[in-house]
Amino acid sequence: MHKHIEDVRTDLNYSSTDVNIFAETQFSNSDSDSMYSLDGYTLFRNDSTSSNNMRPFTGIAAYSKLDYYPGYPY
């Protein structure tokens, strides 16, 4: 997903859903949320760590248009 965020932003199939979940995102802990924001969605990330200076091969990103309820964990 790291290399394809612009494709996701312009694909109508993704923007017409309430929830999108992506695996093997390759997001780095040092990347800001704004790099991967999608208009109208709240982003939840579960990034993996890498022991060398390369991007991790795993990670999960969940995008939701649905509100999170107070007291309910992400």
Side-chain angles (χ1 to χ4, degrees):
M1 174 114 172
H2 168 71
K3 292 182 180 182
H4 301 284
I5 188 64
E6 290 303 321
D7 297 328
V8 171
R9 285 183 178 135
T10 58
D11 192 320
L12 295 177
N13 291 311
Y14 294 118
S15 63
S16 65
T17 64
D18 289 330
V19 176
N20 289 297
I21 299 173
F22 300 94
E24 298 182 9
T25 58
Q26 294 188 328
F27 291 174
S28 172
N29 289 333
S30 62
D31 295 342
S32 69
D33 284 351
S34 63
M35 289 177 64
Y36 304 111
S37 65
L38 298 178
D39 289 339
Y41 288 90
T42 302
L43 170 60
F44 171 78
R45 292 168 46 171
N46 186 10
D47 300 340
S48 293
T49 56
S50 179
S51 58
N52 51 21
N53 289 330
M54 297 178 62
R55 288 193 167 273
F57 293 107
T58 59
I60 295 173
Y63 292 87
S64 177
K65 284 185 179 178
L66 306 174
D67 291 332
Y68 291 108
Y69 292 100
Y72 188 79
Y74 273 74

